[in-house]
């Protein structure tokens, strides 16, 4: 079952995620515990190292104090008797060297000068270079108090103790005891604490003490020099750990070396003055700890995996058992989804599954009912969409016809036929107002007995005859739901089956130009619900009618303009041609003007074929092209065609030249009038104004005599005296 899987898989995934979280948590917890244990152990080892150096300092201090407190030694040092002093010190040196990593027993004078070293005397090297007082001895000399601590000298790194030698109030000098801090001391530390130890000294500090200090041991960084180690092969921490230790801060590093993990704890070595003289590394092999941690993780992982497996098996068993009754309901649901909604479902009335089964059965019946209802509605909507598609197609075709048809009758007949066809009507008619506006005349008809009805020449009085006259008068839609009971309906014997009618006005530019009537053979026809679409069609028809009317008016106005222009042109040409005869002829001697009444062609005795082509402008003959062929030659069709086309071009060119001449004459008249007006505007004196006018008229028009008289009407005809 898919539901079983949907419950089982997320549960198993949850168990798995929980197991992973537990493993991660246990692993992190084990790692944290081991890390804390490691830090604790490193701290303990560091304390042990300091305790070891403290024990060495205490041992050296005890030995130095026993020497400084011996009266014989005090007396020998005061007397500066080296042999006596050596004899007194040698037993103590021999006994201490057997128990401690004794380096030397050295005596310094109160001034800090070297006096005697028991190591040199015992080894027969008394003539070696004198030793310099260590920082511990210098501190004891300056304070005259015992001092002990780690110090770096030319002899290397060691633990020193210095005690002032006093005999009464006499300060005889300082006795210094040094213990070696070398590989042997590190081996003792390793045996006691099971950890390796390696010592590095500060290169800068040893350089200040002695030049040319060398060693065969490696160092992790250039600032350090290898001094002693318990490891056969050095294991270094990170460079940052040693840099931090040289600054006085301990640091631990995890190192993977030869498939083994080590922790290197680096801490600074300070002398008695607090100066950092080196770095010590405590190296711990973590192989055993890693094995223990892995064993703990393996045990935890095994326990968690076992718990997950057992939990998954338990979840699967109980889930399958609890969800098995859903199998029947699932099959029933799949049957309903496949489309079969008539089925019976066996339910379990005693539990929640029974409630689900009853709900599924009720839902199946409801879906079946909804399916039948939806199919019925879809069919109705499909029919409605088909009908509206036809209506919109009709509107589009009427609009297309309005844009393409310019003949009004053809447009009206096409629109009526489209509306009647797409709306599936009994009859469609279009009425237009006559020129008086008092009658609505039937101009287009489509449908039942369309031609017979159109031949009746129906004319209805606007405002008084029938529903059409009422609509044309009021401009409002009128609906006849039942023709048998409507008072305004006018029956037509050629349309016996009309039962309902819709009349909508044809409105163009706020004028009612007619009406559109659509009739159905069914009372209360469904087309009544489409009044808005019919009104849209009526508006398109009205716009087309108005456009056709405007087009006809434009055509009439254009024809009148052309007639008027032709009359003006013909009159102007009559005036021009009545003034003189104008013409030219082509002769063997060249082109020359034609004299009135005669031409060279008239004198020719032997003429061939003659062709005369008229020159016409707006229907008036203004000239002729007279062409003759030589004897024995006839006109070819292309020659005659060329002359006819040339005659047309000559007519157009002559008309253009005449219009240009008219424009020039009009411009000349306008110029003269402008000059005279300027002359009148130059002065307000009447005499000067008249003189200027006469001067301009005489200069421009060339009159022989010209005068302007001002006076009463009865005196205007009397002659005026002329001065001079």
């Amino acid at each position: 079952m898919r539901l079983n899987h949907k419950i089982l898989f997320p549960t198993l995934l949850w168990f798995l995620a929980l197991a992973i979280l537990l493993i991660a948590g246990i692993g992190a917890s084990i790692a944290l515990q081991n890390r804390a244990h490691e830090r604790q152990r490193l701290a303990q080892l560091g304390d042990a190292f300091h305790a070891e150096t403290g024990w060495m300092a205490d041992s050296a201090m005890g030995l130095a104090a026993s020497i400084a407190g011996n009266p014989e030694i005090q007396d020998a040092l005061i007397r500066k008797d080296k042999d006596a002093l050596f004899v007194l010190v040698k037993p103590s040196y021999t006994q201490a060297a057997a128990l401690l990593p004794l380096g030397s027993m050295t005596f310094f004078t109160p001034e800090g000068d070297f006096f005697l070293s028991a190591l040199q005397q015992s080894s027969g090297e008394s003539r070696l270079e004198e030793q310099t007082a260590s920082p511990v001895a210098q501190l004891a000399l300056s304070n005259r108090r015992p001092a002990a601590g780690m110090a770096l000298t030319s002899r290397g790194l060691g633990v020193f103790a210095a005690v002032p030698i006093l005999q009464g109030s006499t300060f005889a000098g300082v006795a210094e005891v040094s213990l070696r801090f070398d590989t042997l001391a590190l081996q003792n530390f390793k045996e006691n604490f099971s950890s390796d130890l390696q010592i590095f000294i500060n290169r800068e500090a040893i350089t200040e003490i002695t030049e040319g200090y060398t060693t065969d041991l490696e160092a992790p960084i250039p600032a350090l020099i290898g001094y002693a180690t318990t490891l056969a092969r050095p294991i270094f921490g990170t460079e940052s750990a040693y840099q931090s230790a040289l600054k006085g801060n301990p640091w631990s590093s995890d190192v993977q070396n030869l498939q083994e993990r080590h922790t290197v704890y680096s801490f600074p070595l300070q002398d008695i003055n607090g100066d950092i003289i080196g770095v010590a590394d405590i190296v711990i092999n973590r192989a055993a700890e890693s094995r223990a941690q892995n064993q703990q993780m393996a045990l935890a992982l095994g326990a968690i995996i076992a718990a997950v497996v057992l939990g998954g098996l338990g979840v699967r068993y109980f889930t399958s058992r609890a969800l098995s009754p859903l199998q029947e309901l699932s099959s029933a649901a799949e049957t309903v989804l496949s489309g079969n909604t008539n089925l019976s479902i066996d339910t379990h009335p005693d539990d929640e599954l029974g409630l689900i089964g009853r709900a599924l059965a009720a839902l199946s019946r409801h879906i079946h009912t909804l399916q039948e209802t939806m199919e019925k509605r879809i069919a109705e909507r499909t029919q409605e969409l088909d009908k509206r598609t036809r209506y919109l197609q009709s509107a589009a075709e009427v609009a297309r016809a309005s844009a393409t048809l310019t003949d009004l009758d053809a447009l009206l007949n096409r629109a009526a036929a489209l509306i009647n066809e797409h709306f599936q009507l009994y009859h469609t008619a279009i009425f237009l107002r006559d020129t008086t506006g008092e009658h609505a005349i039937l101009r287009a008809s489509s449908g039942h007995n369309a031609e017979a009805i159109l031949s009746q020449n129906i004319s209805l009085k606007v405002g008084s005859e029938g529903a059409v006259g009422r609509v044309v008068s009021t401009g409002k839609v009128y609906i006849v739901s039942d023709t048998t009971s409507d008072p305004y309906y006018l029956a037509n014997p050629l349309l016996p089956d009309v039962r309902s009618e819709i009349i909508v006005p044809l409105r163009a530019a706020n004028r009612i130009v007619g009406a559109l009537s659509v009739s159905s053979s069914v009372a209360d026809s469904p087309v009544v619900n489409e009044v808005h679409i019919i009104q849209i069609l009526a508006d398109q028809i009205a716009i087309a009618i108005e456009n056709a009317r405007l087009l006809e008016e434009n055509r009439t106005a254009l024809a009148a303009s052309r007639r008027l222009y032709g009359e003006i042109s013909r009159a102007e040409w009559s005036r021009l041609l009545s003034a003189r005869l104008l013409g030219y002829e082509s002769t063997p001697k060249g082109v020359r003007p034609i004299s009135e009444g005669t031409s060279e062609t008239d004198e020719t005795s032997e003429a061939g074929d003659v062709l005369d082509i008229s020159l016409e402008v707006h229907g008036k003959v203004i000239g002729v092209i007279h062409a003759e062929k030589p004897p024995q030659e006839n006109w070819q069709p292309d020659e005659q065609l060329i002359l006819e086309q040339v005659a047309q071009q000559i007519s157009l060119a002559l008309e253009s030249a005449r219009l240009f001449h008219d424009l020039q004459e009009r411009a000349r008249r306008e110029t003269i009038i402008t000059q005279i007006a300027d002359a009148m505007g130059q002065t307000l004196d009447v005499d000067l104004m008249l003189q200027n006018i006469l001067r301009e008229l005489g200069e421009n028009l060339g009159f022989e005599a010209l005068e302007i008289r001002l006076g009463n009407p009865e005196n205007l005809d009397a002659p005026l005296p002329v001065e001079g």
Side-chain angles (χ1 to χ4, degrees):
M1 293 175 61
R2 290 191 295 269
L3 183 59
N4 191 358
H5 295 163
K6 288 181 179 180
I7 294 176
L8 180 60
F9 288 161
T11 304
L12 293 178
L13 289 176
W14 168 253
F15 272 110
L16 182 59
L18 184 60
I20 293 173
L21 290 176
L22 288 174
I23 293 171
I26 292 173
S29 176
I30 293 174
L32 290 175
Q33 289 178 0
N34 290 335
R35 195 65 178 172
H37 176 70
E38 178 184 312
R39 285 196 297 269
Q40 182 179 4
R41 183 183 176 191
L42 288 174
Q44 292 174 351
L45 290 174
D47 293 341
F49 177 84
H50 292 299
E52 185 72 12
T53 57
W55 174 83
M56 292 176 68
D58 292 341
S59 298
M61 179 64 75
L63 183 58
S66 65
I67 294 173
N70 190 329
E72 294 179 358
I73 293 176
Q74 295 172 0
D75 183 65
L77 183 60
I78 291 174
R79 288 184 291 103
K80 307 293 184 182
D81 187 351
K82 293 183 178 181
D83 294 333
L85 182 61
F86 179 73
V87 171
L88 293 172
V89 171
K90 184 176 181 181
S92 298
Y93 179 85
T94 303
Q95 183 179 3
L99 300 175
L100 298 172
L102 186 61
S104 65
M105 288 182 181
T106 307
F107 296 89
F108 296 94
T109 65
E111 291 78 16
D113 297 330
F114 172 76
F115 181 73
L116 175 69
S117 174
L119 174 62
Q120 289 179 344
Q121 292 288 348
S122 63
S123 60
E125 298 175 353
S126 57
R127 295 183 181 180
L128 292 177
E129 187 176 328
E130 295 183 356
Q131 299 179 10
T132 304
S134 69
V136 176
Q138 293 175 5
L139 183 62
L141 286 169
S142 62
N143 294 336
R144 294 187 180 182
R145 292 180 181 178
M150 186 173 289
L152 182 64
T153 66
S154 60
R155 300 186 299 277
L157 187 65
V159 177
F160 293 82
V163 177
I165 299 176
L166 297 172
Q167 189 176 43
S169 59
T170 302
F171 178 49
V174 171
E176 180 190 70
V177 176
S178 67
L179 300 182
R180 297 187 306 275
F181 203 78
D182 53 9
T183 303
L184 181 61
L186 299 186
Q187 288 292 345
N188 293 332
F189 181 86
K190 179 178 180 180
E191 292 174 0
N192 293 331
F193 299 101
S194 302
S195 295
D196 287 296
L197 192 66
Q198 49 190 7
I199 302 297
F200 307 97
I201 58 176
N202 191 335
R203 182 183 295 274
E204 182 179 356
I206 192 64
T207 303
E208 293 177 355
I209 297 172
T210 181
E211 294 291 339
Y213 183 85
T214 59
T215 180
D216 296 334
L217 298 178
E218 298 180 14
I221 59 176
L224 297 175
I225 299 175
Y227 181 73
T229 180
T230 61
L231 294 169
R233 189 171 187 176
I235 298 175
F236 299 140
T238 61
E239 182 178 349
S240 59
Y242 295 104
Q243 298 289 352
S244 178
L246 286 174
K247 294 178 181 179
N249 301 315
W251 196 276
S252 62
S253 306
D254 291 332
V255 180
Q256 184 75 29
N257 188 13
L258 298 178
Q259 299 181 351
E260 291 185 350
R261 295 182 62 189
H262 296 81
T263 297
V264 180
Y265 178 64
S266 305
F267 57 93
L269 298 178
Q270 295 177 330
D271 62 6
I272 194 168
N273 295 322
D275 297 330
I276 296 176
I277 58 176
V279 175
D281 279 349
I282 297 176
V283 182
I284 300 175
N285 190 338
R286 298 182 59 189
E289 295 180 1
S290 298
R291 287 193 294 271
Q293 182 178 352
N294 293 336
Q295 291 175 357
Q296 292 176 354
M297 287 295 297
L299 292 175
L301 180 62
I304 292 172
I305 292 175
V308 170
V309 172
L310 293 176
L313 294 175
V315 169
R316 178 177 178 80
Y317 172 75
F318 291 110
T319 301
S320 301
R321 183 175 180 181
L323 297 180
S324 58
L326 288 176
Q327 182 66 44
E328 181 181 354
L329 295 178
S330 176
S331 300
E334 290 178 355
T335 303
V336 172
L337 290 175
S338 65
N340 183 10
T341 55
N342 271 331
L343 75 161
S344 91
I345 301 174
D346 295 333
T347 61
H348 303 270
D350 296 334
D351 54 15
E352 291 81 358
L353 295 179
L355 178 61
I356 296 175
R358 291 191 296 273
L360 182 60
L363 181 61
S364 175
R365 292 190 297 271
H366 183 63
I367 291 174
H368 184 71
T369 303
L370 288 178
Q371 185 177 4
E372 292 180 346
T373 305
M374 188 62 68
E375 290 176 354
K376 182 178 179 181
R377 289 182 179 178
I378 290 174
E380 293 175 353
R381 291 292 178 87
T382 302
Q383 294 177 356
E384 183 71 17
L385 289 175
D386 291 341
K387 182 175 66 174
R388 289 189 174 272
T389 301
R390 292 197 306 271
Y391 294 164
L392 293 176
Q393 183 179 359
S394 175
E397 292 188 7
V398 169
R400 191 181 304 112
S402 301
T404 56
L405 297 178
T406 58
D407 182 71
L408 183 58
D409 290 332
L411 172 63
L412 296 178
N413 288 327
R414 178 61 176 164
L418 289 173
I419 294 172
N420 198 77
E421 175 185 355
H422 288 290
F423 283 81
Q424 298 179 351
L425 300 171
Y426 181 68
H427 183 263
T428 300
I430 299 176
F431 294 84
L432 297 183
R433 272 184 166 177
D434 59 5
T435 55
T436 64
E438 297 180 355
H439 292 84
I441 300 174
L442 178 64
R443 293 290 300 272
S445 176
S446 180
H448 187 73
N449 289 333
E451 295 181 359
I453 293 174
L454 194 60
S455 64
Q456 289 180 336
N457 297 323
I458 298 174
S459 178
L460 302 176
K461 182 71 174 178
V462 174
S464 60
E465 285 191 68
V468 174
R470 178 182 177 86
V471 170
V472 175
S473 175
T474 62
K476 297 180 179 179
V477 178
Y478 189 81
I479 299 175
V480 180
S481 300
D482 189 354
T483 57
T484 59
S485 59
D486 192 271
Y488 291 100
Y489 176 71
L490 294 179
N492 190 326
L494 295 178
L495 300 172
D497 297 330
V498 175
R499 292 294 177 266
S500 60
E501 183 180 13
I502 299 176
I503 304 98
V504 295
L506 300 178
R507 192 188 308 274
N510 296 324
R511 288 189 307 112
I512 306 301
V513 298
L516 170 64
S517 171
V518 294
S519 303
S520 175
S521 59
V522 180
D524 293 324
S525 173
V527 78
V528 173
N529 299 325
E530 311 300 335
V531 174
H532 60 289
I533 296 181
I534 296 175
Q535 183 63 66
I536 292 173
L537 294 172
D539 293 339
Q540 290 181 345
I541 295 172
I543 293 172
I545 293 170
E546 183 67 14
N547 291 338
R549 183 185 66 80
L550 293 175
L551 180 61
E552 185 62 28
E553 290 180 357
N554 290 336
R555 287 176 177 173
T556 303
L558 180 60
S561 298
R562 288 178 176 174
R563 287 195 302 271
L564 179 60
Y565 177 74
E567 292 175 0
I568 294 173
S569 179
R570 288 192 294 271
E572 188 65 22
W573 276 109
S574 297
R575 183 184 66 79
L576 292 175
L577 296 176
S578 63
R580 63 186 176 119
L581 178 64
L582 181 63
Y584 293 88
E585 64 179 350
S586 175
T587 67
K589 298 178 180 180
V591 178
R592 68 178 184 177
I594 299 175
S595 61
E596 295 188 10
T598 62
S599 67
E600 188 172 303
T601 58
D602 296 335
E603 300 174 358
T604 305
S605 59
E606 295 182 0
D609 195 2
V610 178
L611 179 63
D612 291 328
I613 300 176
S614 300
L615 302 177
E616 296 184 3
V617 175
H618 297 292
K620 179 177 178 59
V621 178
I622 62 171
V624 66
I625 296 177
H626 180 82
E628 296 180 359
K629 295 285 286 186
Q632 307 301 325
E633 290 188 16
N634 297 321
W635 289 98
Q636 299 297 324
D638 59 337
E639 295 176 338
Q640 184 175 354
L641 179 62
I642 291 173
L643 286 176
E644 290 175 353
Q645 293 179 352
V646 169
Q648 294 177 2
Q649 296 299 321
I650 292 174
S651 299
L652 294 175
L654 290 174
E655 178 65 8
S656 299
R658 183 191 66 77
L659 290 175
F660 181 71
H661 182 266
D662 288 348
L663 289 175
Q664 287 182 327
E665 286 296 321
R666 187 175 298 125
R668 188 178 68 83
R669 290 195 297 270
E670 293 293 336
T671 302
I672 294 172
I673 293 172
T674 301
Q675 292 176 353
I676 294 173
D678 292 340
M680 289 188 293
Q682 292 177 359
T683 181
L684 297 177
D685 184 85
V686 176
D687 292 333
L688 292 176
M689 185 183 299
L690 294 177
Q691 292 175 19
N692 291 337
I693 294 172
L694 289 174
R695 186 180 300 108
E696 292 294 334
L697 288 174
E699 291 177 355
N700 288 287
L701 299 180
F703 292 123
E704 182 178 353
L706 183 64
E707 63 180 24
I708 299 176
R709 295 188 179 193
L710 299 179
N712 294 323
E714 60 272 13
N715 298 326
L716 292 179
D717 295 333
L720 295 175
V722 178
E723 297 181 359

